[in-house]
Amino acid sequence: MTDTQVLIVGGGSVGLSLSAELAHHGVTSLVVEELPNVNPHPRANAIACRTMEYYRRWGIADSLVAAGIPPENPADYYWISSLSGREIHRLSLPSQTQLETLRRTTEFSIDNRLHWSAYIKCNVGQNEVDQILRDHLDTLSQSRLKSGIRAVRYIEHDDHIETVLFDPATSIESRVTSKFLVGCDGGRSVIRNQLGIAYEGDGDLAQFVSVYFRAPELMTAHTFGPANIYFPLHHDHAGYLINWDHGESWTYHIQLKANESWDEVDAIARITDLLGAEIPITIESIQPWTAHALTASSFGLGRVWLAGDAAHLFSPTGGFGMNTGVSDAIDLAWKLRAVIEGWGGPNLLSSYDIERRPIGSRNTQLAKELYERLASVMELGDILDEDSAEADQMRMTLKADLIEQESLIASFGVLLGYRYANSPICIADGTPEPEDHPQMYVPTSRPGHRAPHIWLTEDETLYDRFSVGFNLVRTNPSVDISDFVAEATMRGLPLAVVDIDTPETRAVYPFALTLVRPDLMVAWRANVAPTTSEYLWDKITGHFSTS
């Protein structure tokens, strides 16, 4: 008997999300986090639509929306020389309130992004996300969180993991046993280092200092309109400025110049220079960070696995980091459950690395490309504000480049269009693969892809009908699935049948039967159930030979 089924080292957004998803599956977990409290500095600023789909399942999506930027706020993005200079480009998107109205009044179309997900995204600080996740874990009997505790090392036994913990407040060491261990402990991961796994890719792309401050007069002290993010392009102000509310709370991410140290930056002076005017400013916190494009060479093996920043490090351009990590957690959680409950085969857990590591590499490189393109337009100086034919032409050229960079804001293809092309537990059907485009998402129920979202009523989605486990979407209720279901029942597999026969459903689920995995990815589809389903279930649950 172990102390917990899964020990999670690291209680940030990914570790907390993994614990919540494991609880969703009825699996117990203990999270140990070195920090005693949530980091109050708002680092990541957006929960992607895909992540919100997971959080909706746990019943916390509305709390996150309420904690974020007010839904009536304009969703505008400005690229400017400075806050006292010129507008170079602006992207205006509907507010959350407007989007909800449009969604309810717009006819369904698979080409309309309003119908790609129940959410566009949720603009909320990671500090708020982590606190809401902690509060959620407090309501779950299967989840426990111990803060102020550091993992030192682990010892692997035949049938369990023994992890040594240290409490700095008391200088006491303790030991916890678990069936599995997951390192969600960031870029300096103790677990990854003990596994001997290195990062691959491009590190140290740029150094930044993030200044979290309050300035209630800032929004009215310039001539631009309200915005979610301002991107100052003058090289003296290079970085980006994020608004967290109605214009009182802000984070200015300042890109450091060569040989510039973050702790020598005069934050108030830099904000004042950006604005071109003096206003009351209260600094709340200052934290440095580094942009990377790194992915671990392995996501683990056996009883020890990695997720989140322990598995990949990002540039924040695009907002892929935390969201990629949460999808790691969702993929891993159901596979841990399967093995713990005995219906997962010997090759199921290894599919986590096969599926998720290519996505980590894909997303870190896309974020790197977005960063490099943004950095390339932050190299100019005073010409940005000059009145001359040369400056006019330069601004026109810059604007054309920035239009091409709008995937920085609207990366639906990255967030929804990922696919597990070489998954050993998805059964290919030979249909053509849609383009993997950063901005454009093509809803498809092709095996290895995200199961498409559909609104069934104004307030109910197809996902809302799903049970915990596998869900067989049947768009033709006359198709016989009795043997298919009987085989799943005999194996003890969690399977529910969801009969939905509507034109909207058939548009994105064109086959009569589509099997959706517990992580909302498609495993298999066909128009009839197989004559014998042993092979199918063996494949999907990892009961197969790799030789």
Side-chain angles (χ1 to χ4, degrees):
M1 179 72 71
T2 56
D3 297 318
T4 187
Q5 291 174 314
V6 181
L7 176 65
I8 301 166
V9 176
S13 301
V14 175
L16 296 170
S17 294
L18 175 58
S19 182
E21 182 70 0
L22 287 168
H24 184 65
H25 286 285
V27 175
T28 64
S29 65
L30 169 64
V31 184
V32 293
E33 165 55 43
E34 187 169 357
L35 293 176
N37 300 296
V38 168
N39 183 346
H41 196 92
R43 291 152 292 150
N45 75 304
I47 308 175
C49 45
R50 182 55 161 168
T51 306
M52 288 296 287
E53 291 172 351
Y54 307 137
Y55 289 170
R56 181 185 179 95
R57 297 200 296 186
W58 310 337
I60 64 171
D62 289 347
S63 297
L64 289 161
V65 171
I69 291 175
E72 68 276 9
N73 270 27
D76 286 6
Y77 300 82
Y78 282 85
W79 288 259
I80 54 179
S81 58
S82 71
L83 284 173
S84 61
R86 290 179 182 254
E87 174 187 321
I88 309 298
H89 179 53
R90 177 175 62 175
L91 174 63
S92 294
L93 301 175
S95 69
Q96 287 297 114
T97 300
Q98 292 169 325
L99 283 170
E100 182 63 14
T101 300
L102 286 169
R103 191 268 296 176
R104 291 173 180 269
T105 57
T106 303
E107 185 176 352
F108 172 79
S109 168
I110 62 173
D111 298 322
N112 190 329
R113 65 183 59 184
L114 288 170
H115 303 294
W116 289 347
S117 173
Y119 304 91
I120 297 296
K121 65 179 175 180
C122 176
N123 291 304
V124 59
Q126 195 169 347
N127 54 331
E128 299 283 1
V129 176
D130 289 357
Q131 188 59 58
I132 288 170
L133 286 168
R134 283 185 173 221
D135 293 343
H136 178 58
L137 259 58
D138 284 343
T139 70
L140 305 173
S141 60
Q142 300 94 338
S143 297
R144 289 185 296 146
L145 169 66
K146 286 188 175 181
S147 298
I149 303 295
R150 184 169 72 242
V152 178
R153 65 186 181 280
Y154 67 85
I155 302 141
E156 190 160 4
H157 300 276
D158 289 341
D159 61 350
H160 71 280
I161 299 288
E162 181 181 3
T163 305
V164 179
L165 306 177
F166 178 72
D167 183 347
T170 62
S171 298
I172 294 176
E173 273 195 359
S174 59
R175 297 184 179 227
V176 171
T177 58
S178 59
K179 290 290 186 183
F180 293 95
L181 170 65
V182 184
C184 302
D185 49 341
R188 296 182 177 88
S189 171
V190 169
I191 307 306
R192 182 177 55 80
N193 287 335
Q194 186 170 338
L195 281 168
I197 295 172
Y199 284 127
E200 297 175 338
D202 302 298
D204 298 319
L205 300 176
Q207 307 288 327
F208 286 79
V209 61
S210 173
V211 182
Y212 178 39
F213 66 98
R214 298 191 185 279
E217 298 177 20
L218 191 150
M219 193 73 88
T220 58
H222 59 78
T223 58
F224 305 109
N228 284 352
I229 305 179
Y230 299 91
F231 297 96
L233 303 184
H234 192 293
H235 57 60
D236 286 346
H237 311 297
Y240 51 100
L241 180 69
I242 300 174
N243 170 36
W244 293 109
D245 44 35
H246 286 293
E248 295 187 3
S249 302
W250 304 83
T251 304
Y252 184 16
H253 294 269
I254 303 169
Q255 180 164 335
L256 299 176
K257 297 176 174 59
N259 302 317
E260 186 177 18
S261 175
W262 72 270
D263 53 0
E264 296 175 354
V265 170
D266 185 335
I268 291 180
R270 294 293 286 269
I271 297 165
T272 301
D273 288 346
L274 172 65
L275 183 61
E278 292 189 4
I279 58 170
I281 297 170
T282 303
I283 304 297
E284 297 290 338
S285 56
I286 300 177
Q287 295 184 6
W289 59 270
T290 303
H292 300 287
L294 296 169
T295 304
S297 60
S298 167
F299 279 17
L301 74 165
R303 296 185 179 275
V304 185
W305 299 92
L306 305 172
D309 284 357
H312 34 64
L313 292 175
F314 281 79
S315 163
T317 38
F320 307 148
M322 183 197 83
N323 295 293
T324 303
V326 174
S327 285
D328 292 343
I330 304 302
D331 184 291
L332 182 58
W334 78 267
K335 295 171 182 176
L336 290 172
R337 171 198 178 176
V339 174
I340 288 169
E341 292 185 354
W343 52 268
N347 292 302
L348 183 60
L349 275 175
S350 61
S351 72
Y352 167 66
D353 177 85
I354 295 168
E355 291 182 342
R356 291 303 304 169
R357 189 152 53 90
I359 305 304
S361 296
R362 163 191 184 259
N363 291 2
T364 55
Q365 289 305 307
L366 286 168
K368 173 194 169 188
E369 291 170 14
L370 289 175
Y371 163 72
E372 289 177 340
R373 291 201 65 181
L374 182 62
S376 72
V377 297
M378 292 183 170
E379 297 174 348
L380 297 169
D382 293 343
I383 191 174
L384 287 165
D385 292 312
E386 284 181 7
D387 287 311
S388 67
E390 179 188 4
D392 288 343
Q393 181 59 51
M394 180 275 302
R395 285 188 288 268
M396 288 177 58
T397 302
L398 201 55
K399 182 178 179 65
D401 191 351
L402 291 169
I403 290 171
E404 291 294 317
Q405 293 191 37
E406 287 180 1
S407 56
L408 177 67
I409 307 301
S411 304
F412 293 99
V414 179
L415 301 167
L416 300 177
Y418 64 94
R419 70 288 310 263
Y420 300 149
N422 299 309
S423 173
I425 61 169
C426 293
I427 300 175
D429 64 0
T431 55
E433 180 178 354
E435 180 186 2
D436 187 7
H437 189 284
Q439 286 181 278
M440 295 305 299
Y441 165 64
V442 178
T444 176
S445 55
R446 185 175 178 271
H449 291 248
R450 163 188 175 265
H453 151 86
I454 301 170
W455 285 107
L456 301 178
T457 69
E458 283 196 351
D459 298 303
E460 184 187 28
T461 75
L462 175 61
Y463 290 174
D464 295 338
R465 296 268 182 101
F466 285 176
S467 298
V468 180
F470 292 98
N471 288 272
L472 182 64
V473 177
R474 183 168 59 167
T475 58
N476 182 353
S478 67
V479 174
D480 181 27
I481 55 172
S482 54
D483 290 343
F484 183 84
V485 173
E487 179 69 22
T489 301
M490 185 191 73
R491 293 169 177 247
L493 303 181
L495 172 66
V497 178
V498 183
D499 284 327
I500 304 287
D501 183 10
T502 67
E504 292 82 5
T505 307
R506 290 192 298 273
V508 289
Y509 291 88
F511 287 69
L513 304 174
T514 303
L515 184 64
V516 180
R517 303 183 338 183
D519 58 349
L520 305 179
M521 301 294 286
V522 176
W524 164 84
R525 65 179 179 175
N527 282 315
V528 295
T531 305
T532 174
S533 56
E534 287 91 342
Y535 167 78
L536 186 151
W537 284 120
D538 280 348
K539 178 87 168 169
I540 291 167
T541 58
H543 287 278
F544 54 83
S545 172
T546 57
S547 58

